[in-house]
Amino acid sequence: YDVVSMIAPPNFMQGEPADSLYQLAREAFNRQDYSRAAARFADLIAKYPNSRLVPQSAYYQAFALYRVGTVDALRSALKVLESNASRFEYETRMSKSDAPALHARVLRALADRNEPGVDAKLRDLYAKYPSVSCDQDDVRIKAQVLSSLYQADPDAAMPYIRQNLATRDACNAELRRTAVFLLANRPTAEQTALIVQVAKNDTVRSVRSQAIEVLSRMPGDEAIAALQQFMNDDDERIQAAAVRSLMRSDNPRARAAMRSLIDRRDASERQRLEAIRSFDRDNASPEDAAYLRSLFNRQGESDRIKDAVLSALAQMPSEEN
C-alpha cells in the first residue's frame, strides 16, 4: 500500500499560462528535488488560482512536502491536502484514492513523530467512507487509512479491524486482507486467534489463503493445530496453502505434522507431493534430509513420490544425499 499514482500533465492543457510553471515543477519533482518542486507548485497555485492545473498542483505540492519529510514539511502537506479536499473530489484526471491515500500517509508520518491530534484525524478520515462498499476506490482508501491508523495507534485501530474481519462479503475482501496483514506484523496469542477464525470462516478464498499463509508467523500451538486441520480442507488450494505455511514455521510441531502428512497413505498423492516439494535448501534440516532418504527407500512408494524426494534432496547437497 505504499504507492501513490504519478499523474501526467494532460496534453490538452499545453499553452495554458500555468503550463510552463507546471512543467518546471514536475521536472523538479522527477529529479527528486522536492523542496524546489513544492515551492514551484505553490507558486502556480498562488499565481493562477483558477487554472485547471490547481488540483494536480496541490496534490503534487503535498506529495513533494511529504517526501521532504521534516515535521514542518509534513504539517504543510497536511494543510495543503485539507484545504484542497473539495478540489480533489472533482479532479477527474486523478484516481479517487490518490489524495486520501496520500492524506493517510502524511498523517501516519506525523504520528510517527508524535504529532498531537493525528490519531483523531485518521479516525475521522476512516469514518468518511461507508462501512461496507463495493466501490473499490473506497475500499482501497479505507485499507490505506486503516494501515496508517494501525501503525500509528494499534489499540485505536483494533475495533475497526475486528469490525472488518466480522464481514464476509466479497466487496470488502481487500480490507480483510489488509487487516490480516496488519495483525501478522504484531504477532500475539490474541492476534493468532483472530487470524485462525478468518482462515476458518471467511467466504472469500483469497482472504482465507492469506490468513493461512501468515499463520506460520504466529506464536503458539493454536496456529499449528489450525494448519493441520486445513490440510484436510475440501478445497485443494486451501490444503496447499496450509502445507506451504507449515513448512515456513519454526515450530517443531509443524515439521512433525508435515512428516505425518507424507506418511499417510490415505492422503492424496497430490497432497503428499506438495508436502515433499516444500522441503528446500532454506528450510530443511539434516533430520528432514534423513527422513526423505528413508522415504525414498520405503517399499511401495510410487515413482512420482520418489522423483519428488530426489528433487528435494538435490536442493540439499551433501554426501548422504
Side-chain angles (χ1 to χ4, degrees):
Y1 303 102
D2 193 32
V3 176
V4 175
S5 65
M6 302 297 286
I7 308 162
N11 291 331
F12 66 81
M13 289 185 181
Q14 299 294 327
E16 263 203 26
D19 185 67
S20 59
L21 189 52
Y22 183 89
Q23 296 289 1
L24 289 171
R26 280 301 301 270
E27 288 169 9
F29 187 95
N30 292 336
R31 292 196 307 271
Q32 300 182 13
D33 188 353
Y34 296 120
S35 294
R36 184 183 297 274
R40 285 183 168 170
F41 283 123
D43 285 346
L44 185 153
I45 295 168
K47 292 178 179 178
Y48 305 102
N50 298 319
S51 169
R52 286 181 290 178
L53 287 167
V54 166
Q56 287 178 267
S57 298
Y59 172 80
Y60 277 113
Q61 180 190 2
F63 193 8
L65 289 165
Y66 169 74
R67 289 298 194 194
V68 171
T70 65
V71 172
D72 286 342
L74 291 168
R75 289 170 180 162
S76 296
L78 181 59
K79 185 176 180 180
V80 170
L81 290 166
E82 290 177 342
S83 61
N84 288 278
S86 60
R87 281 174 161 157
F88 297 141
E89 290 178 6
Y90 298 103
E91 176 49 61
T92 59
R93 288 168 296 279
M94 294 171 62
S95 166
K96 181 180 176 182
S97 62
D98 286 334
L102 179 58
H103 195 166
R105 294 169 70 190
V106 170
L107 287 170
R108 175 178 166 183
L110 283 167
D112 290 342
R113 292 156 176 80
N114 300 314
E115 183 78 357
V118 168
D119 294 351
K121 286 180 178 289
L122 278 166
R123 290 194 295 272
D124 290 344
L125 183 60
Y126 186 87
K128 285 179 59 178
Y129 298 94
S131 57
V132 177
S133 172
C134 283
D135 184 319
Q136 289 308 294
D137 277 331
D138 283 348
V139 172
R140 279 191 290 271
I141 294 166
K142 290 193 75 171
Q144 175 67 66
V145 178
L146 183 62
S147 178
S148 293
L149 180 58
Y150 189 75
Q151 298 300 326
D153 188 346
D155 291 338
M158 280 305 298
Y160 302 115
I161 286 179
R162 291 178 180 277
Q163 182 184 60
N164 283 311
L165 293 182
T167 66
R168 296 287 182 269
D169 58 286
C171 293
N172 270 21
E174 182 174 342
L175 262 173
R176 298 200 297 281
R177 286 193 293 269
T178 298
V180 167
F181 172 80
L182 294 173
L183 291 177
N185 284 337
R186 297 176 185 267
T188 66
E190 180 186 6
Q191 321 294 54
T192 299
L194 284 171
I195 294 175
V196 166
Q197 289 306 308
V198 174
K200 287 181 177 179
N201 300 321
D202 206 280
T203 59
V204 178
R205 180 191 285 136
S206 64
V207 180
R208 289 192 70 199
S209 295
Q210 178 164 358
I212 289 169
E213 295 279 357
V214 304
L215 280 175
S216 62
R217 292 151 47 189
M218 306 307 289
D221 288 340
E222 183 182 3
I224 303 303
L227 288 172
Q228 287 178 272
Q229 292 179 18
F230 297 136
M231 289 195 299
N232 299 315
D233 196 272
D234 293 336
D235 189 324
E236 289 190 354
R237 278 180 276 190
I238 295 298
Q239 294 176 12
V243 169
R244 290 192 301 270
S245 190
L246 274 172
M247 203 60 218
R248 288 194 295 271
S249 173
D250 295 329
N251 190 314
R253 281 190 59 187
R255 293 306 175 89
M258 291 291 291
R259 294 176 188 176
S260 175
L261 169 64
I262 295 170
D263 286 339
R264 280 177 48 197
R265 294 295 182 90
D266 62 324
S268 70
E269 186 176 64
R270 184 209 57 75
Q271 196 175 19
R272 296 179 71 210
L273 288 168
E274 181 85 24
I276 294 168
R277 289 165 182 158
S278 66
F279 289 98
D280 60 33
R281 182 196 304 266
D282 295 329
N283 63 25
S285 66
E287 291 77 15
D288 293 327
Y291 167 76
L292 290 172
R293 291 195 300 271
S294 70
L295 179 63
F296 182 84
N297 292 317
R298 190 180 298 171
Q299 293 294 321
E301 293 294 357
S302 70
D303 286 348
R304 292 185 67 195
I305 292 291
K306 292 190 174 188
D307 184 66
V309 169
L310 288 177
S311 296
L313 289 174
Q315 298 183 60
M316 305 175 245
S318 72
E319 189 68 27
E320 295 86 356
N321 292 347

